[in-house]
Amino acid sequence: MSENQSHHFDTQVAPLRWVGTSLQDGYIQMLDQRLLPQQEVYYDYRTADEIAASIKDMVIRGAPAIGIAAAYGVFFGVRDLIKVHDHTSLQEKELPALFEALAQTRPTAVNLFWALDKMKPLVFGRDLTQDSEAVLEEILTMAHQIMEEDRENNLTMGRHGAALMPDNARILTHCNTGGLATGGYGTALGVIRAVHAEGRLAHVWVDETRPYLQGARLTAWECMKDELPSTLITDNMAAYFMQQGKVDAVIVGADRISADGSAANKIGTYGLAVLCKHHNIPFYVAAPLSTIDLEIAEGRDIPIEQRSAREVTHVGDRALAPEGMQVAHPAFDVTPGELITAIVTEKGVVRAPYNDSVAALFED
Ligand code: MRU
């Protein structure tokens, strides 16, 4: 991977882009989200190992963006593997190991596994060593499609979600669900962008999102770039502003939604939903169908990533807590469907009872 500070995406914020026209030399560039907002640094990625490490280390994060990166990881992996292995060995050893390495990066966002599942039929049970250029072309096209469709879905979700918001809406959001977390535009932040485009956005309250600060570092950065009227608050201020009557709606994204309409999202989301219930404020979740996992019946069965203590005890290199203190760090929590006013998807808006309405999204 090599650093490249000269490339700045000139259109909308997006976490990655394909560079080059040749199948053999093409690569992707990713904005290193760990360095935002102080530095905008783009790195070049050419191998599956680099992609897996970038997901694990949070260079790229956000459920749909993780899936997109993994899809390109499959392309890079196959491109390298078919140069040196025969058909049988590929099918039995190298390809399963490639998918496993990408799947092992982060456990909660189901978009990762969804994207890998989309890539599997293109590689398993086929002789990739025959007509390998055509096969690679197909795999790369699928990776591009996953990214482009995600952006399209977000634009559609934006329209559906904006219709739920009042005029002069003051909307609170948590974590980063914008262009950085997706193929572009964003899920929950996409809805906020759509309300703004309609001239009906009064204000965005941006939760800082302790401990990893996706709100303060990333959502604030996107809001400023787009000149959205917005204010950064610490997570524990949300209740205060709700009590003051200054929040009309809360909208968040999701990392995995179970069949009963429960939504796993960044730690702190569940608390916001409880606050909304008390203050009679609508609580919305915006997520594409690729975030819905019908194989998980109930929210309590969604795997929750436990992240390192250091993200809680430190900000950058500065320690906040005494050394040796015991720390808990669940990176996500689960909001039960009963606290969710509606789920916004690219196929429309669904409400409780979620077992029926969520299943209906997958019917033609
Ligand atoms: O740990 P992260 O930064 O990957 O967590 C991201 C979130 O929780 C987002 O809210 C979620 O992925 C939805 S992004 C469109």
Side-chain angles (χ1 to χ4, degrees), residues 225-247:
K225 256 189 184 304
D226 266 15
E227 296 181 1
L228 300 181
S230 50
T231 300
L232 176 64
I233 59 173
T234 61
D235 302 336
N236 52 3
M237 294 175 191
Y240 170 84
F241 287 108
M242 288 181 184
Q243 194 181 43
Q244 299 255 312
K246 291 185 173 163
V247 180

Side-chain angles (χ1 to χ4, degrees), residues 108-141:
T108 301
V110 75
N111 308 61
L112 169 66
F113 311 103
W114 172 88
L116 292 175
D117 284 347
K118 298 268 283 186
M119 305 303 275
K120 279 179 187 164
L122 302 184
V123 302
F124 287 109
R126 300 178 75 184
D127 188 351
L128 307 183
T129 57
Q130 299 294 314
D131 202 6
S132 55
E133 287 285 303
V135 168
L136 281 178
E137 184 82 55
E138 260 185 69
I139 298 172
L140 182 61
T141 301

Side-chain angles (χ1 to χ4, degrees), residues 33 58 60-66 106 109 111 150 154 174-178 181-182 186-189 209 212 214 218 252-256 264-267 269 286-288 291 305 307 331-332:
Q33 299 190 27
M58 307 283 276
I60 188 162
R61 30 64 53 203
I66 292 169
R106 293 195 70 193
N111 308 61
D150 188 66
N154 290 339
H174 192 67
C175 198
N176 173 264
T177 62
T182 63
T187 56
L189 196 59
T209 318
Y212 203 72
Q214 288 93 332
L218 309 176
V252 297
D255 289 80
R256 194 182 301 222
N265 191 50
K266 184 51 55 196
I267 192 75
T269 300
T291 300
E305 178 180 12
R307 290 189 59 85
F332 301 94

Side-chain angles (χ1 to χ4, degrees), residues 330-344:
F332 301 94
D333 57 28
V334 177
T335 301
E338 68 195 57
L339 295 178
I340 301 174
T341 311
I343 301 175
V344 181

Side-chain angles (χ1 to χ4, degrees), residues 208-355:
E208 72 168 345
T209 318
R210 274 278 295 157
Y212 203 72
L213 304 176
Q214 288 93 332
R217 296 189 302 105
L218 309 176
T219 304
W221 182 77
E222 289 200 44
C223 285
M224 290 193 73
K225 256 189 184 304
D226 266 15
E227 296 181 1
L228 300 181
S230 50
T231 300
L232 176 64
I233 59 173
T234 61
D235 302 336
N236 52 3
M237 294 175 191
Y240 170 84
F241 287 108
M242 288 181 184
Q243 194 181 43
Q244 299 255 312
K246 291 185 173 163
V247 180
D248 300 310
V250 170
I251 188 160
V252 297
D255 289 80
R256 194 182 301 222
I257 297 174
S258 50
D260 65 346
S262 302
N265 191 50
K266 184 51 55 196
I267 192 75
T269 300
Y270 168 56
L272 282 175
V274 173
L275 285 175
C276 280
K277 188 176 165 83
H278 181 75
H279 292 95
N280 204 18
I281 293 168
F283 179 88
Y284 300 114
V285 172
L289 265 56
S290 55
T291 300
I292 299 175
D293 185 355
L294 291 182
E295 283 175 25
I296 295 203
E298 295 180 23
R300 64 175 170 208
D301 294 326
I302 298 175
I304 299 295
E305 178 180 12
Q306 307 293 319
R307 290 189 59 85
S308 82
R310 198 182 159 87
E311 288 174 3
V312 175
T313 56
H314 286 65
V315 171
D317 287 336
R318 191 184 144 84
L320 304 173
E323 212 183 317
M325 180 63 194
Q326 201 169 293
V327 170
H329 186 189
F332 301 94
D333 57 28
V334 177
T335 301
E338 68 195 57
L339 295 178
I340 301 174
T341 311
I343 301 175
V344 181
T345 76
E346 70 273 27
K347 292 258 302 259
V349 175
V350 294
R351 294 175 190 266
Y354 286 111
N355 274 308

